[in-house]
Amino acid sequence: MISPSARRVAEANLPTRYGAFEMFVYDTPERKEHVALTLGAIGDGDPALVRVHSECLTGDVFGSNRCDCGEQLADSLRFLQGHGRGVLLYLRQEGRGIGLANKISAYALQEQGLDTVEANLALGLPEDMRDYRVAAEMLHDLGVRQARLLTNNPAKIEGLERHGVEVVERVPIRVPPNPSNLAYLRTKREKMGHLLQGVMPLETAQDGSA
Ligand SMILES: [Zn+2]
């Protein structure tokens, strides 16, 4: 690995509605403050449950139905608490890395009929600019070398493994589709390789039967 770009700069206990976590803040040369919420002895050498969540202001904070981020975040924190041991990384890479303004501009294009990938391309942006190097560095700092990764996204597995964190198991994450996010979830499955088959009944959900 090249010299680490993420530096641990603060930590404290963080009691939440989901339970009590320890919170670590990491700083990077780009002045992005990334967060790790941990539970239990994750650095003891056994594979840790890991969720890598990318910031989504509209989904995480406002409860937007355009995506499934807010529900995935809440479900992940609940799931970690249920296990009593694990870590959630909260990466400040809004809109898959394109930033908030670009993400909202892409929403406007989607209102004209483009899907989430086509909208990014129309704005001259890649479909996904996320980088998992900083996530791997944070896990290394926390003593996690092997992960049981909570994800439906193969790119996250590759991203972590490329940077030295072995993914020993993929734990699927389940989010029920709603009428607003159905097209988004389908695009994630069909164009971005997300492993949603068997996880959510996208076809039956279309007519409201699921
Ligand atoms: Zn989102």
Side-chain angles (χ1 to χ4, degrees):
M1 196 185 303
I2 324 160
S3 65
S5 57
R7 201 166 50 92
R8 193 199 295 192
V9 290
E11 56 191 89
N13 292 320
L14 190 75
T16 73
R17 74 181 65 151
Y18 307 102
F21 292 87
E22 266 188 275
M23 174 164 167
F24 299 83
V25 180
Y26 290 82
D27 200 2
T28 66
E30 311 86 61
R31 310 302 302 168
K32 292 269 190 188
E33 294 182 310
H34 304 291
V35 172
L37 293 183
T38 73
L39 198 63
I42 55 168
D44 62 5
D46 286 337
L49 260 181
V50 174
R51 171 68 184 165
V52 179
H53 187 89
S54 294
E55 174 179 32
C56 173
L57 180 77
T58 47
D60 298 344
V61 178
F62 303 142
S64 164
N65 282 335
R66 279 185 180 269
C67 60
D68 53 350
C69 304
E71 284 166 78
Q72 288 200 352
L73 178 61
D75 283 356
S76 302
L77 291 173
R78 265 187 229 111
F79 192 78
L80 292 178
Q81 278 293 339
H83 272 258
R85 180 175 173 278
V87 54
L88 178 128
L89 302 182
Y90 192 85
L91 303 182
R92 309 298 294 282
Q93 39 189 7
E94 174 69 54
R96 300 195 200 106
I98 64 175
L100 187 59
N102 283 327
K103 183 176 88 171
I104 301 305
S105 298
Y107 282 174
L109 289 174
Q110 289 168 42
E111 284 164 12
Q112 297 165 28
L114 276 61
D115 70 31
T116 178
V117 170
E118 290 164 349
N120 275 24
L121 298 177
L123 290 169
L125 299 163
E127 63 183 69
D128 196 334
M129 288 180 66
R130 288 178 292 187
D131 173 14
Y132 297 106
R133 179 183 165 194
V134 70
E137 289 178 358
M138 290 162 73
L139 291 173
H140 275 269
D141 179 71
L142 294 165
V144 176
R145 296 291 184 273
Q146 292 184 312
R148 301 174 56 218
L149 193 65
L150 257 173
T151 190
N152 300 325
N153 184 357
K156 281 190 187 171
I157 298 174
E158 284 167 42
L160 287 183
E161 295 211 313
R162 192 179 311 131
H163 296 292
V165 175
E166 186 190 351
V167 177
V168 297
E169 183 188 353
R170 181 181 78 87
V171 182
I173 181 163
R174 290 175 169 74
V175 172
N178 67 49
S180 308
N181 70 14
L182 194 59
Y184 165 83
L185 293 173
R186 267 208 199 98
T187 303
K188 285 219 292 200
R189 182 184 67 182
E190 286 159 17
K191 289 201 170 173
M192 305 179 77
H194 284 225
L195 305 167
L196 302 178
Q197 292 88 339
V199 173
M200 45 186 89
L202 296 187
E203 278 74 27
T204 50
Q206 186 178 24
D207 56 21
S209 58

